[in-house]
Amino acid sequence: MNHEPVELSVNIGGIQLKNPVMTASGTFGYGEEYAPYVGLDKLGAIVVKGISLEPRPGNPPPRIVETTGGMLNSIGLENIGVDRFIGEKLPYLIDSGATIIVNIFGSSIEEYRDVANKLDDTHGISGLEINISCPNVKEGGMTFGTDPHMAFELVNLIRESTKLPLIVKLSPNVTDITEITRSVQDAGADAISLINTIKGMAIDIKTKTPKLANITGGLSGPAIKPIALGMVWEVARVAEIPVIGIGGIMNAHDALEFIIAGASAIQVGTANFINPKATMDILSGIEKYLGDHGIGDIKSLIGTLRI
Ligand SMILES: Cc1cc2nc3c(=O)[nH]c(=O)nc-3n(C[C@H](O)[C@H](O)[C@H](O)COP(=O)(O)O)c2cc1C
């Protein structure tokens, strides 16, 4: 069937995206490895692996375990630090024509602020995604994402230190995700992304030891999709800023569910490990759905869930 061209662009808190398909931080590196499979400039945006002020070695191996319908990871935010990112990785990404969003984290609110401040002065970055939701590190990470007061203080401080649009990435490891949503929105977030991984574990029954050296890790993949979808719907109902859906999106059908639930864009994570072309397949699947249903603009599909 031949269709009229459909409008796929979306604006996420001031970041103009060609289409709603983004990569999820930590599952697409800094883009280079995927370039043979994915037109980096064809993606809505690339969200790079989380960056801290100083390089971090991450947690000891084993750090990845396959589980039913998903995987557990305890990478522990291994990264090369903000200076090497700017010097060694960013030029390639800029040359590729990609829309670049930098995922950042710190072990104190001052560290978050300093990373944000360095990136504010750097050319070629469209926005920051603030990770307040990593379950695999002792300090920082999830503690900021589970306490509404700390989350407010953190986002407020970063807001003062950068002009870049701020996406705040939420943790599912909370009792009421709408409470954190309100806090970060009041503190000046321009958009919200959710969810990060859900804390879990796996045990080797022969040795009676945990399969991950870190004992627990973050669960991702199809197993978490219904949880993520439910949380995106809950958050989109109360948020006054755009919501980005993440969690177990493996194909266009999954992505469309999130958009109908209220997500203005989606991020693809674990699927990249199984099918390196997953983002491109999802993009063409969304386009086909819009064409088949006579929907001329993706924006008119967002939040159309009928209850
Ligand atoms: C190996 C791995 C590394 C990750 N690293 C990061 C990270 O550095 N920062 C972050 O905010 N999220 C990180 N995440 C979480 C993902 O971005 C995403 O929120 C999560 O995997 C759920 O999406 P999925 O089910 O599509 O994978 C990581 C996930 C995986 C599997």
Side-chain angles (χ1 to χ4, degrees):
M1 217 190 311
N2 271 335
H3 296 303
E4 296 290 310
V6 290
E7 178 57 53
L8 287 166
S9 70
V10 288
N11 190 292
I12 304 293
I15 310 171
Q16 189 61 25
L17 306 183
K18 290 174 206 95
N19 62 67
V21 181
M22 312 164 74
T23 62
S25 176
T27 65
F28 205 75
Y30 304 107
E32 279 154 294
E33 297 84 349
Y34 283 89
Y37 313 99
V38 175
L40 302 184
D41 60 331
K42 302 283 183 299
L43 287 163
I46 293 180
V47 183
V48 298
K49 172 75 190 152
I51 301 284
S52 50
L53 198 55
E54 303 295 337
R56 283 173 63 108
N59 291 328
R63 311 196 288 189
I64 300 248
V65 181
E66 275 189 48
T67 62
T68 314
M71 70 188 238
L72 277 170
N73 91 83
S74 63
I75 306 294
L77 300 176
E78 174 184 359
N79 80 98
I80 59 175
V82 68
D83 290 329
R84 281 186 57 202
F85 167 72
I86 292 170
E88 297 170 25
K89 303 293 180 185
L90 192 57
Y92 174 84
L93 277 174
I94 292 175
D95 282 350
S96 76
T99 300
I100 305 158
I101 294 173
V102 183
N103 180 286
I104 67 165
F105 70 95
S107 51
S108 64
I109 65 171
E110 291 77 19
E111 186 180 348
Y112 275 94
R113 177 201 55 202
D114 293 347
V115 184
N117 205 247
K118 279 203 179 209
L119 293 165
D120 190 42
D121 296 332
T122 306
H123 158 78
I125 297 169
S126 295
L128 301 181
E129 182 179 66
I130 305 162
N131 178 6
I132 57 168
S133 45
C134 183
N136 307 317
V137 288
K138 282 199 186 66
E139 75 291 343
M142 201 165 77
T143 45
F144 290 109
T146 50
D147 179 334
H149 301 289
M150 278 174 81
F152 179 90
E153 246 183 82
L154 174 66
V155 175
N156 201 32
L157 188 72
I158 299 174
R159 181 67 292 164
E160 285 168 7
S161 65
T162 175
K163 295 175 293 302
L164 288 168
L166 298 180
I167 302 166
V168 179
K169 183 164 176 180
L170 303 187
S171 169
N173 301 296
V174 292
T175 322
D176 180 2
I177 199 158
T178 61
E179 210 184 340
I180 300 276
T181 301
R182 290 196 183 89
S183 284
V184 301
Q185 186 174 278
D186 291 348
D190 299 294
I192 290 167
S193 57
L194 72 151
I195 59 176
N196 208 315
T197 54
I198 298 174
K199 191 171 178 176
M201 75 185 288
I203 294 174
D204 181 332
I205 60 166
K206 279 198 219 96
T207 57
K208 296 181 181 161
T209 54
K211 287 190 176 172
L212 291 170
N214 193 51
I215 305 175
T216 61
L219 181 64
S220 63
I224 71 169
K225 195 192 96 182
I227 299 169
L229 191 59
M231 287 187 158
V232 164
W233 176 69
E234 264 187 281
V235 165
R237 282 171 41 155
V238 301
E240 286 151 24
I241 51 182
V243 172
I244 302 169
I246 322 168
I249 297 174
M250 309 305 282
N251 51 45
H253 185 291
D254 295 334
L256 288 160
E257 284 188 63
F258 278 83
I259 293 167
I260 291 167
S264 299
I266 56 96
Q267 292 182 14
V268 180
T270 301
N272 295 309
F273 296 120
I274 298 161
N275 169 15
K277 282 175 39 265
T279 46
M280 294 293 99
D281 294 350
I282 290 170
L283 179 56
S284 54
I286 292 175
E287 216 170 345
K288 180 171 184 321
Y289 173 90
L290 295 178
D292 288 352
H293 291 78
I295 303 169
D297 188 334
I298 181 89
K299 292 183 275 299
S300 61
L301 185 67
I302 298 167
T304 50
L305 183 72
R306 297 186 192 153
I307 306 275

